[in-house]
Amino acid sequence: MFDVLADMTFLAMILPFLGALIAPALTRSMGHNAAWLLALAPALAFLHFAGFLPEIGNGEVVTGGFAWVPSINLSFSWFLDGLSLTFALLITGIGTLIVLYSGGYMKGHPQQGRFIAFILLFMGAMLGVVVSDSFLMLFVFWELTSITSFLLIGFDHEREASRRAALQALVVTGGGGLALLAGMIFIWNMSGVTQLSLLVHSGDILRESPFYLAALLLVLGGAFTKSAQFPFHFWLPNAMEAPTPVSAYLHSATMVKAGVYLLMRLNPVLGETPAWEILLPLFGGITLIVGATMAIRQTDLKLMLAYTTVASLGLLVMLTGFGTEYAVIGAVLYLVAHSLFKGALFMVAGLIDHEAGTRDVTKLGGLRSAMPITFVAALFAAISMAGLPPFFGFFAKEEIYLALAGADPRSILFTIVAIVGNALMFVIGFAVALKPFLGPHVDTPKHAHEGPALLWLGPLVLAIVGLLAAIFSGTAHYYISSPMASAVGGVAKQVTISLVPHIGVPLLLSVVTVVLGIVLFLQLDRARAVMGRILATLGPGPDRGFDHFVTGLVRIAFGITRVVQHGRLDSYVTFTFAMVALVLLMPLAIYGELPAMPSWPEDAQFHELIFLAIAVIGLFAVLRAKDRLTAIVSLGIQGFAVAVLFLLFGAADLAFTQFMVETLSVVILALVMTRLRLAAADHRPFGQFLRDAIIAIACGLGFTLMLLKATEAPFDSTLTEFFNTYSKIIAHGANVVNVIIVDFRGVDTLGEIAVVMITGLAILALIRVRSPQAVSEPPAEPVVKADVAKSRARKRAKA
């Protein structure tokens, strides 16, 4: 059974993508009820991954995949252990509820099918990130999450705020993805492996490498941008411009946790160093405080929750880098608890907005009787977010304080940071769960009532799962917490915490957090005003800095473009060939690699010399030609002479190809010259002519010297023998050159053909562009012919 499940993992990975393909058509035919069928894709994937729980709980791992480029160890492969399996279950399980929620939330929207398709694509991309074994797969899916999040955040593309938020998220996370790519290349070269399943067991290879710090900083660049760590945190609250299903999924189980996943995955090989244990807690702690304090300032339910997500991500990063066994366990427990309560609270916020018409917490109240199911789900989720029993969030808070409690200055500092951050998140959790529902009734833009099952099912299920996981903690730890903590720590760990709190300092710290949270909750309005004044004093933050950065980048690009892209094709060509000459000649001169001048071949045949002379005569004919058409024909003479030389030396295939190229070149250039408005002859000033001649001679000399240097090395006939042996057997072609082009290099040739085709279509479109005046005028005489006639007339007049 285990082997069968492993073989079906690829199908489970692509199920969300298959659902995305049929989502638009299914929604058009079934409306919002299509969500029930579309939710089967992630639900089946969830059941598939849940089948691995017994084996993963026993400490086993699952690997599989397909070799792609075996010679350089590239593969399309997957790797499941406690960490990746937990993420896969969260992504598919919560994803199932999000698809159902989207069906109710987007009911009646003309683009509902497109929206659900984007959600499923996003789900598939994130699933690919967490189960990928190969570095290549990880990076491809990593960037795909950025692209699909761009589509989701900018879904309401008619609003400028949505477009700006989508572009901001794409720039920040996409840039971080490039840093991650560089980091993965470093790790590949340092370790010699391209699979995570091998890397996590490589020991101290990375830590002992002189390139460790460079690799670490690049990986942190990718992880910090993805998981919204300070100072890259600003994109995440702005992503709230997306519809609420996106916010709920983005914050609970998907992209924002990709960076945390990466840090946890690489902790066994990059962790336990001073750099790791300084940078991660430092930036994580700053992010925790910044996110929690910014959340207090907000009145929009989604923004309040968004900033607490920033804070929670900071807490996870801080714990991952803290460097103790209990810190890893605390991070694991908090990640699972956060996914459950944050997904529920975001769906509650969207449900309130959908049914009451506003998300402003100051304009809500008394909804408990109108929306009782929503209130229960919100209350359960808030209790877990506050870290109170009997919910799973309580376990996380207890383990966090057990990990941080210590007498050294570092432990004291981060314990204070955790207390402040947790207390502020306590306030926000209950503000979202209690303020809209308790107190006197407040009139809202819409008559509030309980939403349909598609809307309240998701938050209620997640809230109840958080309760059941705490009640049956032994089972949850065996199948989820312990395997995940073992994968993150790199050694087997046993999670045993239950609803009985840790007696001693951790319990005292929990009491302090709760008391501080209650005090701040009762003074929420005053705390909000104080934070408003503080932020006004501090001035613009990183969000405004991003705008300045983009504006400056555009100005710099515009300035550079004005200099190097001024619209003169002759300057572009001159600069290009000048650089070619430098690239060819400078290395040979600097490194003393000039080849020895060859002697005149003693065995040269007379007929060979004749065609060589014809080629030289063709060259001089090009230089002495009085008009462009003569130069083109003369260039063809030179090319045909070279083709005959190829034929004389036994390269019949190459000669045939050269004949075809020369014929087409002459014909096409001649036809083009009749259509362009160019002078019949070349009238360059002497200075420009001399410059161009020097560059041309330098390019020719550079290619000559390079070829002479290449021929000095011993001839390696491996490729020649390979193509001669297999062209007929494998490709069924006797013309070796053609077989290489259309078979062995078929994909490359196809790409070249596509480029030429696209260029041709663009040229055709430009040729067909005519101004109204030009269309109304009679067709003019071909320019080159007219210029030739005028030139002859001037000569006759002078005579």
Side-chain angles (χ1 to χ4, degrees), residues 338-479:
H338 178 267
S339 298
L340 298 175
F341 67 67
K342 190 56 65 70
L345 287 175
F346 260 109
M347 285 191 268
V348 166
L351 186 49
I352 293 173
D353 184 28
H354 192 271
E355 302 302 330
T358 181
R359 297 195 306 262
D360 191 335
V361 72
T362 62
K363 299 178 180 178
L364 292 167
L367 296 178
R368 180 180 59 178
S369 58
M371 307 175 69
I373 300 177
T374 305
F375 173 61
V376 171
L379 183 61
F380 281 14
I383 294 174
S384 185
M385 182 174 176
L388 299 177
F391 287 84
F392 205 74
F394 170 75
F395 295 165
K397 180 172 63 63
E398 290 296 301
E399 288 296 297
I400 289 170
Y401 288 141
L402 180 63
L404 299 178
D408 59 286
R410 179 173 181 262
S411 298
I412 293 173
L413 173 62
F414 287 111
T415 299
I416 294 173
V417 169
I419 290 174
V420 174
N422 284 331
L424 292 175
M425 288 192 283
F426 178 102
V427 174
I428 298 302
F430 281 113
V432 173
L434 299 181
K435 294 280 186 182
F437 298 98
L438 302 182
H441 176 75
V442 177
D443 290 334
T444 55
K446 295 168 65 175
H447 177 65
H449 57 86
E450 192 62 81
L454 283 172
L455 289 177
W456 56 254
L457 182 63
L460 186 62
V461 169
L462 292 179
I464 293 176
V465 169
L467 174 63
L468 295 177
I471 295 174
F472 301 100
S473 58
T475 302
H477 294 331
Y478 177 79
Y479 289 114

Side-chain angles (χ1 to χ4, degrees), residues 289 292-293 296 386 388 397 401 415-428 430 507-524 527:
I289 296 299
T293 52
I296 293 292
L388 299 177
K397 180 172 63 63
Y401 288 141
T415 299
I416 294 173
V417 169
I419 290 174
V420 174
N422 284 331
L424 292 175
M425 288 192 283
F426 178 102
V427 174
I428 298 302
F430 281 113
L507 179 60
L508 177 61
L509 296 177
S510 295
V511 173
V512 172
T513 301
V514 173
V515 171
L516 181 59
I518 293 173
V519 171
L520 291 174
F521 178 79
L522 297 176
Q523 300 295 324
L524 179 57

Side-chain angles (χ1 to χ4, degrees), residues 545-630:
F546 173 83
D547 292 335
H548 292 322
F549 169 76
V550 172
T551 302
L553 189 64
V554 171
R555 288 178 178 175
I556 292 173
F558 182 73
I560 294 175
T561 303
R562 290 184 62 184
V563 174
V564 301
Q565 295 286 336
H566 43 68
R568 292 187 57 85
L569 182 60
D570 57 340
S571 298
Y572 301 159
V573 174
T574 300
F575 181 78
T576 300
F577 280 103
M579 291 304 299
V580 169
L582 287 175
V583 169
L584 291 172
L585 293 174
M586 292 299 289
L588 294 175
I590 293 174
Y591 296 104
E593 295 292 335
L594 292 173
M597 290 297 101
S599 59
W600 184 261
E602 298 179 357
D603 57 346
Q605 301 295 318
F606 177 75
H607 59 278
E608 296 172 351
L609 298 178
I610 291 295
F611 283 105
L612 179 62
I614 293 174
V616 174
I617 292 172
L619 173 63
F620 279 98
V622 172
L623 297 176
R624 299 294 299 170
K626 298 299 183 182
D627 56 73
R628 299 179 192 275
L629 287 177
T630 303

Side-chain angles (χ1 to χ4, degrees), residues 748-761:
D748 183 53
T749 304
L750 179 63
E752 294 172 355
I753 293 172
V755 170
V756 173
M757 181 185 69
I758 294 171
T759 304
L761 292 175

